[in-house]
Amino acid sequence: MQKGSESNGHIIDMPPRYEECELREGSGSGVPGCWQKCVRFLKRNTIVILTVSGVLIGVGIGTAARNMNLSRAQMTYFAFPGEMLLRMLKMIILPLVVCSLISGAASLDTRSLGKLGAIAVAYFLVTTLLASGLAIALGFIIKPGEGAGALNSNTLGIDDTVPTNKETIDSFLDLARNLFPSNLVAAAFQTYATDYKMIIRNKTLGNATFEKVPVGTEIEGMNILGLVLFALVLGVALKKLGPEGEDLIRFFNSFNEATMVLVSWIMWYVPVGIMFLVGSKIVEMDDIVLLVTSLGKYIFASILGHIIHGGIVLPLIYFAFTRKNPFSFLAGLITPFATAFATCSSSATLPSMIKCIEENNGVDKRISRFILPIGATVNMDGAAIFQCMAAVFIAQLNNAQLNAGQIFTILVTATASSVGAAGVPAGGVLTIAIILEAIGLPTNDLSLILAVDWIVDRTTTVVNVEGDALGAGILHYLNKKDAQKSRQELSEVYVEAVANCKSEGEMSPLVTHRIPASTPSSAAEPEATESVL
């Protein structure tokens, strides 16, 4: 079967690749068929095999390097190849997100865009709520913080620094502010965040009262949320312009395709970078065994939640919509999952995810480049599990009994705050402080979460990107089903119009007809006509 290439929404037949022709020609040359299949498999999955090998080799190198007592400077040099991979992936995020969303929004008509957007929002909301509920249920069943009151930062050698406490209302206001950045250029490298300034009031007779006043600041980090909203609105605006906006749409389409070529080049460096990323993280930890044994129940509960949600809940949702095997769909995304495991960043995984889901799974470019950048920003199923489990763990650590109101607050706050969670390593830890403040728990114990975050954050990111991928697959199926239904309806309208052609008394002025000639050649099927219905 010949492969097709999509251009402006149409499928164009392409000639078979040279490698495929070569294999077909050599099929009768005495070479065993099993060998041909092995060669074809290796060519098709070269990057996947190299990526998985890079993870395994990185674990071995990191374990061996721990016995070498490397200095801080030597650890930095050891991690340099992995740092280069992260820098390349982050470099490509900005043009990829902006151009893919603009071209994706402009390629879909307004009605389809609104329908797909509504389905995507409903999918993101439902899956995140399910993830939060699953985490709380597992927290009450496993009880990871019960009997762990002896844990403290001195015995584990943990840094006591925790994120600055932020009021819940200011966190949600910052989310709204970041949706509409005041400076679009600055949004590429800065994010708005509320800080606090203490002001002295009523200095009388040696007594003074202090007031905490919120102050707006700009912190380093790309404001992807604002860029996503701007790109979507700009794409819709270009679509509304009609012929006047076609030149700019073609520009962003070309820019997007060129970006994907760069992504394909970066993909060949991914195995090397992943190897050193995993190895350097193992070398950096002081005592992995002590951390795992002390916080083992929390780590186990979090990873178990990720396995259940990613291995059962999300595949069942995909199967319920498509009636297709979800694991065959996920099998084509091993490289993005390995990248997510190594980088702990949903945003850094976005380039490889878009490339693999289009080439391996055949998802429509208009769908994948529209939904995946949005999902990498607002869909954080794994982060919701991680945050809710951490909140239950800290509550049990402090012997606090959570009531129904606090549980409901955790569900709502985790779902809402995961939308604004940064798609970077350890980005979810900042939102745990919001949840703890909302239910009245101290944030000092966050240092324990930070100590093992590098372990749990890997499965967190894998579940995050899996939810985005399956969401794109569901939208692709629904969009394809609607297109087939529309073609069937048009075909039925045409058949009725042809049947009524002989009746000159009653004819609909809305339907164009082609009167068949009375020659013998008219016995064949009439030509397709276009209905303006």
Side-chain angles (χ1 to χ4, degrees):
M1 180 178 178
Q2 293 183 354
K3 294 185 178 180
S5 175
E6 183 174 354
S7 175
N8 297 326
H10 300 284
I11 303 298
I12 302 174
D13 290 333
M14 298 293 291
R17 293 185 301 176
Y18 172 76
E19 294 88 348
E20 295 176 353
C21 296
E22 187 178 12
L23 286 172
R24 290 173 186 171
E25 291 174 358
S27 59
S29 57
V31 180
C34 182
W35 174 251
Q36 292 183 11
K37 292 180 180 179
C38 291
V39 172
R40 194 179 297 114
F41 175 81
L42 291 175
K43 286 184 177 181
R44 189 170 58 248
N45 299 281
T46 301
I47 294 182
V48 176
I49 296 171
L50 292 176
T51 302
V52 175
S53 301
V55 174
L56 298 177
I57 295 173
V59 172
I61 292 177
T63 304
R66 286 183 61 85
N67 301 323
M68 299 174 63
N69 296 323
L70 299 178
S71 64
R72 288 290 179 182
Q74 291 172 332
M75 288 183 186
T76 304
Y77 300 146
F78 179 74
F80 177 75
E83 179 188 354
M84 294 302 296
L85 173 63
L86 282 177
R87 295 179 71 88
M88 284 189 287
L89 291 174
K90 291 178 180 179
M91 171 191 68
I92 212 73
I93 289 173
L94 178 62
L96 184 65
V97 169
V98 174
C99 296
S100 64
L101 279 175
I102 291 176
S103 61
S107 64
L108 297 169
D109 60 81
T110 308
R111 184 176 58 183
S112 298
L113 183 64
K115 183 178 180 181
L116 291 176
I119 295 174
V121 170
Y123 170 81
F124 294 155
L125 181 63
V126 170
T127 54
T128 306
L129 281 173
L130 288 175
S132 301
L134 173 64
I136 293 177
L138 285 176
F140 280 106
I141 294 172
I142 299 176
K143 299 184 185 333
E146 194 174 75
L151 288 176
N152 59 74
S153 58
N154 293 328
T155 58
L156 295 178
I158 298 171
D159 190 2
D160 289 332
T161 57
V162 296
T164 304
N165 295 347
K166 184 186 288 188
E167 299 292 337
T168 305
I169 182 64
D170 289 326
S171 300
F172 288 105
L173 291 177
D174 287 349
L175 179 64
R177 292 185 182 107
N178 284 320
L179 280 172
F180 303 95
S182 58
N183 189 329
L184 197 62
V185 177
F189 52 86
Q190 285 184 340
T191 303
Y192 185 94
T194 298
D195 200 358
Y196 298 97
K197 183 179 180 181
M198 302 303 295
I199 298 179
I200 302 176
R201 299 285 189 187
N202 301 326
K203 294 185 294 183
T204 58
L205 300 176
N207 296 325
T209 58
F210 294 89
E211 181 181 356
K212 186 169 69 171
V213 179
V215 179
T217 58
E218 299 287 343
I219 62 175
E220 184 179 355
M222 187 184 304
N223 181 9
I224 297 185
L225 208 59
L227 294 174
V228 162
L229 182 62
F230 172 79
L232 282 175
V233 174
L234 180 60
V236 174
L238 291 175
K239 181 71 173 180
K240 288 289 186 181
L241 283 178
E244 295 181 2
E246 289 181 357
D247 291 337
L248 197 53
I249 293 174
R250 282 195 293 268
F251 166 78
F252 282 112
N253 286 336
S254 300
F255 201 157
N256 195 21
E257 294 300 329
T259 304
M260 293 307 299
V261 172
L262 294 178
V263 170
S264 65
W265 294 347
I266 296 174
M267 292 289 290
W268 288 104
Y269 182 71
V270 165
V272 178
I274 282 180
M275 179 173 63
F276 285 94
L277 276 175
V278 175
S280 62
K281 184 56 67 174
I282 293 177
V283 172
E284 287 175 4
M285 289 305 300
D286 294 329
D287 195 341
I288 300 177
V289 177
L290 179 60
L291 281 176
V292 172
T293 53
S294 300
L295 298 172
K297 289 177 70 177
Y298 166 72
I299 297 172
F300 169 76
S302 299
I303 295 179
L304 179 63
H306 292 149
I307 292 174
I308 294 175
H309 189 74
I312 299 176
V313 177
L314 290 177
L316 281 177
I317 294 175
Y318 178 85
F319 177 78
F321 278 95
T322 65
R323 293 296 189 270
K324 295 181 180 179
N325 186 359
F327 298 104
S328 62
F329 182 88
L330 297 174
L333 305 175
I334 296 178
T335 298
F337 291 155
T339 306
F341 182 84
T343 61
C344 298
S345 173
S346 301
S347 301
T349 311
L350 183 61
S352 61
M353 175 60 74
I354 292 178
K355 178 179 174 60
C356 290
I357 204 170
E358 290 175 359
E359 294 184 356
N360 298 341
N361 295 339
V363 173
D364 193 337
K365 293 180 180 179
R366 296 171 297 176
I367 301 296
S368 62
R369 301 182 187 186
F370 165 71
I371 199 62
L372 288 178
I374 301 176
T377 307
V378 303
N379 186 34
M380 300 287 179
D381 295 351
I385 294 175
F386 163 65
Q387 294 160 11
C388 292
M389 187 65 70
V392 175
F393 170 74
I394 292 176
Q396 294 172 351
L397 197 66
N398 291 275
N399 296 319
Q401 298 295 326
L402 296 176
N403 55 38
Q406 289 175 317
I407 293 174
F408 179 77
T409 302
I410 292 175
L411 283 173
V412 175
T413 309
T415 302
S417 60
S418 64
V419 174
V424 297
V429 176
L430 300 176
T431 60
I432 299 177
I434 301 173
I435 300 174
L436 295 178
E437 287 288 335
I439 60 177
L441 288 177
T443 58
N444 296 330
D445 294 323
L446 271 179
S447 57
L448 296 172
I449 306 300
L450 285 168
V452 296
D453 175 69
W454 69 275
I455 300 176
V456 180
D457 201 20
R458 301 185 182 280
T459 54
T460 297
T461 310
V462 172
V463 175
N464 286 342
V465 299
E466 180 191 355
D468 300 340
L470 291 177
I474 291 172
L475 287 178
H476 171 72
Y477 173 81
L478 295 178
N479 186 62
K480 186 177 179 181
K481 186 177 180 181
D482 287 343
Q484 292 176 349
K485 184 178 179 181
S486 299
R487 284 196 297 268
Q488 182 179 2
E489 290 176 353
L490 287 176
S491 176
E492 292 175 356
V493 170
Y494 167 74
V495 170
E496 181 182 356
V498 171
N500 291 336
C501 280
K502 297 180 180 179
S503 176
E504 299 180 357
E506 293 182 2
M507 293 181 63
S508 172
L510 299 178
V511 180
T512 57
H513 306 283
R514 185 184 299 273
I515 308 297
S518 59
T519 59
S521 60
S522 64
E525 293 185 1
E527 297 182 8
T529 61
E530 181 178 359
S531 170
V532 297
L533 282 178

